[in-house]
Amino acid sequence: MDKGSGEERAGSGRTSRSMAFRFMENELVERIEMRIADLTGYPAENGEGLEIVNYGLGEEYKPHFDFFPPIW
């Protein structure tokens, strides 16, 4: 999100292609999410939807900070 305008825009630090699945979107995604939950010991509903990312030659994901603003 652009800090000045509030508009959503592509980040300059990521040059990959990606796609995301909704939580429990289909049987395969559900199985993967449940396996991750088993391995980590955290409930699947505490996670985010799966995302598949493809980096071509020369593409990168620069260091950055991810966070959600507190809800008060």
Side-chain angles (χ1 to χ4, degrees), residues 12 23 30 43 45 60:
S12 60
F23 181 66
E30 182 176 355
E45 57 271 12
E60 63 184 335

Side-chain angles (χ1 to χ4, degrees), residues 37-57:
D38 288 343
L39 290 170
T40 62
Y42 289 97
E45 57 271 12
N46 287 11
E48 298 177 355
L50 295 179
E51 184 175 359
I52 308 301
V53 183
N54 176 268
Y55 293 92
L57 291 175

